[in-house]
Amino acid sequence: MPDTPDGPWLTIIGFGEDGASGLSSAARAALDKAAFIAGSPRHLALLPALRAETFSWPAPFAEGIPALLARRGMPTVLLASGDPFWFGAGSVVMRHMEAGEWTAHPAPSSFSLAASRLGWPLQEVECHGLHAAPLTRLRSCLVPGRRAILLLRDGRAVPQLAAWLTEQGFGSSTLHVLEALGGPRERIRQCSAERLDIANIAHPVAIGLSVAGGGRTLPRSSGIPDDWFDHDGQITKRPARALTLSALAPRPGEMLWDIGAGSGSVAIEWLLTHGSTRAIAFEADPERAERARANAVRLGADRLTMVAGKVPDVLIGRDPPDAVFIGGGLSQPLLETLFAMPGGRTRLVANAVTLESEALLAQWHAEKGGDLLRIELAQAVPLGTRRGWRSAYPLVQWSVSL
């Protein structure tokens, strides 16, 4: 790879509110040698006088990547807040580079500084970078007694956070508003979300959140109650969904295809199992697709990708997933398309409730093997002055590796 004579051409420097005075000798030496220095206007303003050309990084962040890569082979510095590889710019830049092109000098992250100011053990606190992410990412961590540290895009986002927490029933949560940590402008104030009385909040801002209130908490187990989802009746009901997720067996980093997504409940629960999981939901009905997308955003699974179109045509040419769930649209052509996919072993789970679909699964099970499960559920309901059992349609579930 193209390097300067002294090593990698790019140095990523973690920069704090204390400016150049807080840098290590190695980081200061990199600044002195640099021919090109890129960073936010706030960071550049904290630099001493240098001979290097400076570049004010634009927003959105991705728009600055070409200007940085154009300096390949030239001694270059990228200034990033705190630890560049902890919700920072480093991980984004590295997607465009090879090993050996760069080195880094991290500084204490905003999360570390916030935890040290509040006396919170960082390993017990949820950390979220919400500069460009919706507040609904926090939905699963809204549990009374839990703590989180949040990085927000600016001070104007704090009232939005307070309003959203109050709307969710957690208005009595305490907000520790931490401004410009580590520098001369540092300030820490606190209030409750429902009684936010803090103004003129300086950037950069972090929030220490102590959750309190009587709002509804989102379960972490598979098979969350159906009423968490907006739906028109096309939903894999809670007991069947729990069995379906168990059969799909999500693992960190894996991709799911949810075919015939309906309300999106299976794909959303897949995404809620781990922050690195991914999912594509295929739904032919535009209204249902929009409803599934809204459910995903509201429950903190906004990374769900919705694809409109009919299967199997909409699947052709895509990289094989790690798991496939068929909740609707089961057909002979669909199964043929899935079994013809290239690549490694993909886990398939298909649910059927009609006689025709059940017969199709029985046929394929006889040919391909796997596990065929018949699920019969009944729920107690009023029957006159007493109670009786109301049976649901039997569900046949086929699990197999493609």
Side-chain angles (χ1 to χ4, degrees):
M1 301 311 306
D3 293 347
T4 67
D6 297 321
W9 65 271
L10 177 65
T11 302
I12 306 174
I13 295 178
F15 214 62
E17 287 297 300
D18 50 357
S21 64
L23 298 179
S24 66
S25 58
R28 287 195 296 270
L31 279 174
D32 291 337
K33 292 193 305 181
F36 183 80
I37 301 174
S40 70
R42 177 171 58 86
H43 289 150
L44 295 175
L46 294 173
L47 287 176
L50 296 168
R51 294 190 301 271
E53 176 189 356
T54 59
F55 173 70
S56 182
W57 203 276
F61 187 86
E63 292 185 2
I65 298 292
L68 183 72
L69 297 180
R71 270 68 182 182
R72 206 176 228 122
M74 175 190 302
T76 300
V77 165
L78 171 61
L79 303 176
S81 295
D83 185 342
F85 291 92
W86 182 231
F87 290 92
S91 57
V92 179
V93 173
M94 288 308 101
R95 297 170 192 165
H96 306 271
M97 305 187 70
E98 305 269 347
E101 289 194 85
W102 56 274
T103 187
H105 302 288
S109 69
S110 296
F111 297 108
S112 296
L113 291 173
S116 67
R117 300 299 190 270
L118 298 173
W120 292 357
L122 193 54
Q123 74 275 8
E124 298 176 8
V125 177
E126 290 202 34
C127 297
H128 294 270
L130 299 176
H131 301 92
L135 295 174
T136 51
R137 289 273 180 93
L138 303 175
R139 194 60 190 82
S140 62
C141 78
L142 294 186
V143 179
R146 299 297 296 169
R147 292 167 170 171
I149 297 174
L150 322 174
L151 306 186
L152 302 181
R153 66 179 185 275
D154 55 34
R156 291 174 295 179
V158 178
Q160 297 171 8
L161 170 65
W164 180 77
L165 288 169
T166 302
E167 179 184 307
Q168 300 302 313
F170 296 94
S172 55
S173 298
T174 299
L175 302 183
H176 302 269
V177 182
L178 306 106
E179 306 162 69
L181 290 175
R185 299 183 298 124
E186 179 175 312
R187 180 169 56 176
I188 301 175
R189 296 176 283 176
Q190 73 177 55
C191 63
S192 69
E194 62 194 357
R195 291 186 172 84
L196 181 67
D197 57 359
I198 296 175
N200 302 318
I201 300 172
H203 179 73
V205 59
I207 298 294
L209 172 63
S210 295
V211 181
R216 195 178 184 193
T217 59
L218 184 64
R220 293 295 182 103
S221 61
S222 295
I224 66 177
D226 297 342
D227 60 1
W228 279 95
F229 303 95
D230 182 21
H231 62 89
D232 60 0
Q234 292 298 312
I235 182 174
T236 302
K237 298 295 179 62
R238 181 179 62 82
R241 193 180 335 117
L243 291 169
T244 297
L245 267 295
S246 176
L248 287 169
R251 303 180 181 101
E254 289 192 328
M255 165 69 82
L256 170 74
W257 284 359
D258 184 354
I259 298 174
S263 67
S265 61
V266 170
I268 290 169
E269 287 215 43
W270 169 281
L271 292 172
L272 291 177
T273 61
H274 195 271
S276 66
T277 52
R278 298 165 294 146
I280 302 176
F282 301 92
E283 176 54 60
D285 185 300
E287 187 174 345
R288 286 177 180 164
E290 184 55 40
R291 186 181 293 116
R293 183 181 292 106
N295 282 334
V297 171
R298 184 167 44 80
L299 295 178
D302 55 281
R303 63 189 187 280
L304 175 66
T305 299
M306 289 298 310
V307 174
K310 293 185 177 181
V311 294
D313 295 346
V314 74
L315 306 178
I316 296 174
R318 298 180 182 274
D319 292 334
D322 300 288
V324 178
F325 170 60
I326 305 175
L330 178 65
S331 68
Q332 180 82 11
L334 174 58
L335 292 175
E336 290 173 350
T337 298
L338 292 173
F339 273 85
M341 288 191 307
R345 296 171 65 84
T346 296
R347 304 186 299 279
L348 169 67
V349 177
N351 289 352
V353 294
T354 67
L355 292 175
E356 292 79 6
S357 296
E358 181 178 335
L360 183 61
L361 292 187
Q363 172 194 335
W364 279 77
H365 172 254
E367 296 176 3
K368 303 293 185 180
D371 295 321
L372 195 63
L373 181 67
R374 181 179 172 91
I375 304 164
E376 298 191 53
L377 299 169
Q379 186 173 14
V381 296
L383 185 63
T385 59
R386 297 178 180 271
R387 293 171 298 152
W389 292 108
R390 175 180 293 166
S391 296
Y393 288 114
L395 176 72
V396 173
Q397 182 178 93
W398 182 40
S399 303
V400 68
S401 292
L402 301 181

